[in-house]
């Protein structure tokens, strides 16, 4: 096999895209999916030279995962002789492209990056259990991360291999909260909300918190933390507990009153900057999108902030990026070799330090030097990890939830009417059997 040049195609990332979804089958796909088929070629480079084997990896264009993949590709090519194509797309396009690639039988990607929202194409992913066992990879993984509800399973077999592990977090400005006389310990989101008037009265011109509100899918992270109800009724259909969901919606609407000025449409970068520059006393976001920025030498709050445990009574949102080996891959050993190269423990420290990619590997967090440098953020993150999980929702159900929560938070609809609209729409969304298995295991199904 001849060696060829790496092709790294990166699309501009929409500000703040990190999590969300779509569906279909290989045959008879809906027109809305087939309409996206033309996007598939957009991120792919020129064809491989005659006789060269090609490994194409679809990944989110975020300036993190895609850059890490591009940095590892040349050495992988040199070792395997395979042309390595990094097809990078903003999250919404990535999700569509992954599904459309399978639905249409285009089969351009041998390894896909994604998560639970790819549930409708799970039958086309190769079970990885034997390969994981053969390479003893479970031995070095943080306990629980390859369990159902965190890693992806189909028919009882693990099909997803974790590589980018992050848990939604709350960061606090130590100096500002001390001046406000607020203890940075919030058991519930009601406790968090109760602190906001005190912070803003004691610190004129400072907002209680900032959040990437301009990305509609991010609002569910706070809702999931504030909501302690089920997501599927006893009949096996999607349905929120009306009273508990309305209470969480009311809390969102109150929280939104304590954002910075023009704070209801902030990008990730804008939310991070507001916190770094002292315009917000707290920040609610994905740590992997903020911590490196906050700890730069030029950051005025370097050494003056820390992460606290995510409030309840619900659960912290888990971002557990997975790698999937597609069943149409002509060389599955090559595809698995890429999965181990990109997601394996050997590159965990480099991926974390250079790109901020949260690692699923125990060794990273046990490194004495790194552990000391991250005494302000790692303890809370690692403490939250065991209770973090993905929502047991299909892409359609999660999208409708996020859009309606935006209407509730911004006062366009009452919490009660919004929850009623969610449940009415959800009644038409089937619960995929694979998600039902997970939902039962995490207590997300209402008792009969």
């Amino acid at each position: 096999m001849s060696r060829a040049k790496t092709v790294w195609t990166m699309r501009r990332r929409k500000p703040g895209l990190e999590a969300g979804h779509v569906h279909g089958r290989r045959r008879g796909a809906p027109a809305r999916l087939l309409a996206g088929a033309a996007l598939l070629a957009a991120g792919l480079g020129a064809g491989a030279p005659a006789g060269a084997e090609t490994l194409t990896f679809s990944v989110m264009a975020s300036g993190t995962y895609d850059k890490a993949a591009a940095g590892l590709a040349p050495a992988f090519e040199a070792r395997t002789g395979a042309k390595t194509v990094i097809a990078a797309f903003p999250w919404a396009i990535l999700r569509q492209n992954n599904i459309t690639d399978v639905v249409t039988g285009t089969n351009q990607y041998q390894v896909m990056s994604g998560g639970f929202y790819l549930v409708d194409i799970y039958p086309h992913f190769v079970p990885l259990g034997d390969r994981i066992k053969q390479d003893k990879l479970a031995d070095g993984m943080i306990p629980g991360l390859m369990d159902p509800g965190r890693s992806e399973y189909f028919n009882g077999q693990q099909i997803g291999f974790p590589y980018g592990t992050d848990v939604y977090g709350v960061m606090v400005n130590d100096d500002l909260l001390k001046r406000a006389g607020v203890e940075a310990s919030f058991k519930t989101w009601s406790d968090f909300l109760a602190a906001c008037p005190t912070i803003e009265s004691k610190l004129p011109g400072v907002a209680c918190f900032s959040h990437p509100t301009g990305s509609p899918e991010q609002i569910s992270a706070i809702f999931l933390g504030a909501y302690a109800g089920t997501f599927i009724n006893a009949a096996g259909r999607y349905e929120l507990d009306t009273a508990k969901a309305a209470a969480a919606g009311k809390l969102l609407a109150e929280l939104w009153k304590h954002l910075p000025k023009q704070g209801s449409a902030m990008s990730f970068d804008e939310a991070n900057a507001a916190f770094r520059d002292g315009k917000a006393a707290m920040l609610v976001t994905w740590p992997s999108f903020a911590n490196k920025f906050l700890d730069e030498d030029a950051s005025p709050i370097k050494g003056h902030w820390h992460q606290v445990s995510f409030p309840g009574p619900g659960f912290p949102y888990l971002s557990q990026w997975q790698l999937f080996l597609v069943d149409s891959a002509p060389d599955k050993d090559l595809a698995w070799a890429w999965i181990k190269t990109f997601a394996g423990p050997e590159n965990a420290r480099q991926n974390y330090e250079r790109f901020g990619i949260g690692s699923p590997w125990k060794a990273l967090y046990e490194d004495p030097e790194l552990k000391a440098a991250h005494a302000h953020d790692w303890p809370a993150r690692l403490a939250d990890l065991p209770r973090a999980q993905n929502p047991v929702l299909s892409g359609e159900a999660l999208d409708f939830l996020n859009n309606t929560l935006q209407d509730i938070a911004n006062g366009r609809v009452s919490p009660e009417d919004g929850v009623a609209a969610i449940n009415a729409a959800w009644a038409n969304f089937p619960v995929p059997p694979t998600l039902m298995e997970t939902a039962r295991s995490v207590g997300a199904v209402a008792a009969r």
Side-chain angles (χ1 to χ4, degrees), residues 350-401:
Q350 171 184 299
N351 286 346
Y352 181 81
E353 292 188 309
R354 292 185 62 190
F355 307 108
I357 298 176
S359 177
W361 299 103
K362 292 184 294 185
L364 180 84
Y365 302 101
E366 293 169 351
D367 181 282
E369 182 183 1
L370 288 178
K371 193 173 181 179
H374 289 278
H376 60 302
D377 59 334
W378 278 7
R381 181 187 304 191
L382 295 175
D384 283 345
L385 195 56
R387 63 188 184 97
Q389 63 187 63
N390 291 320
V392 287
L393 299 174
S394 66
E396 289 174 310
L398 184 57
D399 286 345
F400 197 92
L401 174 68

Side-chain angles (χ1 to χ4, degrees), residues 5-11 43-45 57 59-71 73 77 83-89 355:
K5 182 180 179 182
T6 299
V7 177
W8 177 29
T9 304
M10 178 175 173
R11 293 293 174 124
L44 300 179
F57 172 46
V59 64
M60 186 173 78
S62 62
T64 53
Y65 311 114
D66 48 341
K67 286 189 176 180
E77 284 191 9
K83 178 184 176 68
T84 307
V85 180
I86 309 303
F89 308 95
F355 307 108

Side-chain angles (χ1 to χ4, degrees), residues 110-406:
Q110 291 79 56
V111 178
M112 292 181 175
S113 175
F116 63 94
Y117 38 84
L118 298 179
V119 64
D120 283 342
I121 57 173
Y122 277 8
H124 300 284
F125 295 143
V126 175
L128 301 176
D130 288 344
R131 293 178 183 272
I132 292 171
K133 184 176 180 180
Q134 177 181 320
D135 291 328
K136 299 180 179 179
L137 290 177
D139 295 349
M141 193 75 67
I142 293 174
L145 289 188
M146 290 204 287
D147 293 344
R150 293 181 174 86
S151 286
E152 306 311 314
Y153 281 70
F154 179 69
N155 284 343
Q157 298 191 69
Q158 184 176 351
I159 56 172
F161 190 81
Y163 75 89
T165 302
D166 203 5
V167 181
Y168 230 90
V170 174
M171 280 63 86
V172 303
N173 183 313
D174 298 330
D175 298 339
L176 291 181
L177 263 61
K178 183 177 180 180
R179 283 168 50 194
V182 170
E183 180 69 28
S185 177
F186 312 107
K187 185 176 180 180
T188 68
W189 279 98
S190 294
D191 296 337
F192 183 100
L193 175 62
C196 288
T198 300
I199 290 171
E200 292 171 351
S201 65
K202 298 283 188 178
L203 305 170
V206 176
C208 181
F209 75 105
S210 60
H211 174 67
T213 48
S215 296
E217 76 284 349
Q218 297 303 310
I219 196 169
S220 55
I222 298 178
F223 177 82
L224 294 173
Y227 175 66
T230 53
F231 294 84
I232 298 172
N233 61 28
R237 308 293 297 184
Y238 284 126
E239 185 179 20
L240 293 171
D241 180 303
T242 300
K244 291 180 179 179
K250 182 178 180 181
L251 187 142
L252 280 175
E254 291 300 316
L255 282 171
W256 255 231
K257 297 175 184 178
H258 297 284
L259 292 164
K261 291 182 179 179
Q262 291 82 45
S264 62
M266 302 183 83
S267 69
F268 276 93
D269 290 344
E270 289 168 339
N272 294 346
F275 177 66
R276 180 202 61 182
D277 297 339
K279 297 177 181 177
M282 296 185 284
L283 170 66
V284 183
T285 191
W286 295 109
S288 65
F289 277 20
N291 291 12
K292 194 171 186 295
F293 173 74
L294 300 176
D295 282 336
E296 289 178 339
D297 289 338
S299 170
I301 63 169
K302 181 178 180 180
H304 297 269
W305 71 273
H306 75 284
Q307 185 172 335
V308 300
S309 185
F310 203 72
F315 56 83
Y317 203 154
L318 174 68
S319 174
Q320 179 84 312
W321 282 100
Q322 309 271 303
L323 296 183
F324 300 97
L325 200 169
V326 185
D327 61 1
S328 61
D331 188 338
K332 294 177 177 58
D333 289 338
L334 176 67
W336 177 244
W338 171 253
I339 288 174
K340 291 193 296 180
T341 296
F342 182 62
E346 291 78 9
N347 293 304
R349 179 162 182 164
Q350 171 184 299
N351 286 346
Y352 181 81
E353 292 188 309
R354 292 185 62 190
F355 307 108
I357 298 176
S359 177
W361 299 103
K362 292 184 294 185
L364 180 84
Y365 302 101
E366 293 169 351
D367 181 282
E369 182 183 1
L370 288 178
K371 193 173 181 179
H374 289 278
H376 60 302
D377 59 334
W378 278 7
R381 181 187 304 191
L382 295 175
D384 283 345
L385 195 56
R387 63 188 184 97
Q389 63 187 63
N390 291 320
V392 287
L393 299 174
S394 66
E396 289 174 310
L398 184 57
D399 286 345
F400 197 92
L401 174 68
N402 285 326
N403 292 335
T404 308
L405 291 177
Q406 287 284 345

Side-chain angles (χ1 to χ4, degrees), residues 35-124:
L39 293 170
L40 290 170
L44 300 179
E53 192 167 7
T54 300
L55 187 288
T56 303
F57 172 46
S58 63
V59 64
M60 186 173 78
S62 62
T64 53
Y65 311 114
D66 48 341
K67 286 189 176 180
L72 293 171
F76 183 76
E77 284 191 9
R79 178 163 56 88
T80 65
K83 178 184 176 68
T84 307
V85 180
I86 309 303
F89 308 95
W91 177 80
I93 296 176
L94 172 69
R95 121 191 182 186
Q96 182 179 18
N97 282 5
N98 281 342
I99 294 174
T100 305
D101 187 62
V102 170
V103 168
T104 61
T106 307
N107 301 330
Q108 295 190 74
Y109 311 138
Q110 291 79 56
V111 178
M112 292 181 175
S113 175
F116 63 94
Y117 38 84
L118 298 179
V119 64
D120 283 342
I121 57 173
Y122 277 8
H124 300 284

